[in-house]
Amino acid sequence: MEFIIAESTEDMSRRAADHIAACLQADPDCVLGLATGTTPIGLYAELVEDCAEGKVSFAGVTTFNLDEYRGLAPEHDQSYRYFMKKHLFDHVDIDQARTHVPEGANPDAHAVCAAYEEAIAAAGGVDMQLLGLGPNGHIGFNEPEDTFPAATHCVDLTQSTIEANSRLFECIDDVPRQAYTMGIGTIMAARSVLMVVEGAHKAEIVKKAFFGPVTPQIPASILQFHQNVTVIVDPAAGELCRDKA
Ligand code: F6R
């Protein structure tokens, strides 16, 4: 694992964008796994700029997002499809037909999850998976549990995740209670992983996830077993790991 403490939050975003740009340059037809949340917004903005300046192209790229709320249509302004269009897809030269987000509007969990795994396999698997880190150590919507869930599945969100995400909805009752998410097995099958983390409130979980015991109670800790992981954190999130970087 490569663990980098960036000089600032902006530097974290720039470095992460450079990492993705390098993947695109090495393989213009690569398959990217993408994440939503506050943390990647800066790096998506950097990539939009890079694309406008002709430094990168998404023309050959296929994407698979980690997750989507169950029950939200793509047009809903809190759906992850909407987020991706707003922050990346609508501003780069990507073929939107090759962008995939689990079908939140379809209540048939079995069909949605099976189709997602099939689509990832048909694309040849994910080359580079971008991740954020939940305050409780979740990745995608894989919440702390007794086991590591393998494949794409439907989850009940924990109260802490509902509360953390309620800032984006009008009120907490509007936050969906379930989501479709890639499983830990799906994420671990990616050929490389890039995680970005920002904020002092994540300092403790960063230390536990990457330098503590591997446990399904901290889902991100499984990444310690992945062979090609880069973690880029901002100074606040890296505060308790200064001796490790
Ligand atoms: C989003 C996702 C989540 C977030 C995590 C951190 O697609 O899968 O695991 O990455 O909740 O979110 P932020 O960046 O908002 O702190």
Side-chain angles (χ1 to χ4, degrees):
M1 175 178 68
E2 194 181 3
F3 184 80
I4 298 164
I5 303 180
E7 283 167 17
S8 61
T9 308
E10 296 70 35
D11 183 45
M12 175 199 77
S13 297
R14 186 61 253 168
R15 282 166 178 258
D18 285 347
H19 187 98
I20 295 173
C23 294
L24 297 181
Q25 280 148 9
D27 179 4
D29 299 330
C30 68
V31 178
L32 293 181
L34 298 176
T36 62
T38 309
T39 318
I41 290 177
L43 81 87
Y44 289 148
E46 297 280 347
L47 287 171
V48 167
E49 227 175 282
D50 289 351
C51 194
E53 290 168 7
K55 293 183 191 157
V56 295
S57 170
F58 289 80
V61 169
T62 299
T63 66
F64 288 91
N65 263 78
L66 281 167
D67 43 18
E68 178 61 283
Y69 288 115
R70 183 176 187 227
L72 293 195
E75 306 74 39
H76 191 289
D77 67 1
Q78 290 308 324
S79 77
Y80 287 173
R81 163 65 72 180
Y82 187 97
F83 175 103
M84 290 310 302
K85 284 171 68 66
K86 179 174 169 193
H87 292 288
L88 188 69
F89 297 159
D90 283 355
H91 312 291
V92 294
D93 57 346
I94 202 162
D95 174 358
Q96 302 228 12
R98 284 214 295 266
T99 65
H100 303 82
V101 180
E103 200 191 344
N106 184 346
D108 184 344
H110 180 75
V112 171
C113 297
Y116 211 60
E117 287 288 331
E118 276 166 31
I120 293 171
V126 171
D127 291 306
M128 207 282 319
Q129 177 68 54
L130 174 66
L131 297 174
L133 180 65
N136 61 2
H138 73 217
I139 46 176
F141 270 124
N142 293 280
E143 304 281 20
E145 280 189 56
D146 293 338
T147 56
F148 290 110
T152 300
H153 59 291
C154 181
V155 281
D156 295 329
L157 304 191
T158 61
Q159 192 55 29
S160 75
T161 296
I162 292 168
E163 280 163 21
N165 292 2
S166 66
R167 69 189 193 282
L168 303 167
F169 289 80
E170 248 171 53
C171 68
I172 196 160
D173 292 339
D174 288 351
V175 185
R177 269 31 186 182
Q178 289 186 312
Y180 298 129
T181 181
M182 284 186 189
I184 295 291
T186 326
I187 293 169
M188 289 295 281
R191 286 180 270 280
S192 70
V193 172
L194 170 65
M195 175 176 276
V196 283
V197 194
E198 69 181 19
H201 63 299
K202 303 248 180 100
E204 193 71 44
I205 196 69
V206 165
K207 186 175 173 199
K208 286 185 181 159
F210 297 108
F211 304 103
V214 173
T215 163
Q217 292 301 329
I218 301 177
S221 65
I222 192 80
L223 295 170
Q224 292 182 44
F225 290 152
H226 195 287
Q227 297 203 352
N228 189 347
V229 180
T230 304
V231 181
I232 307 178
V233 304
D234 78 350
E239 192 50 39
L240 302 178
C241 302
R242 293 237 157 247
D243 55 330
K244 323 276 191 210

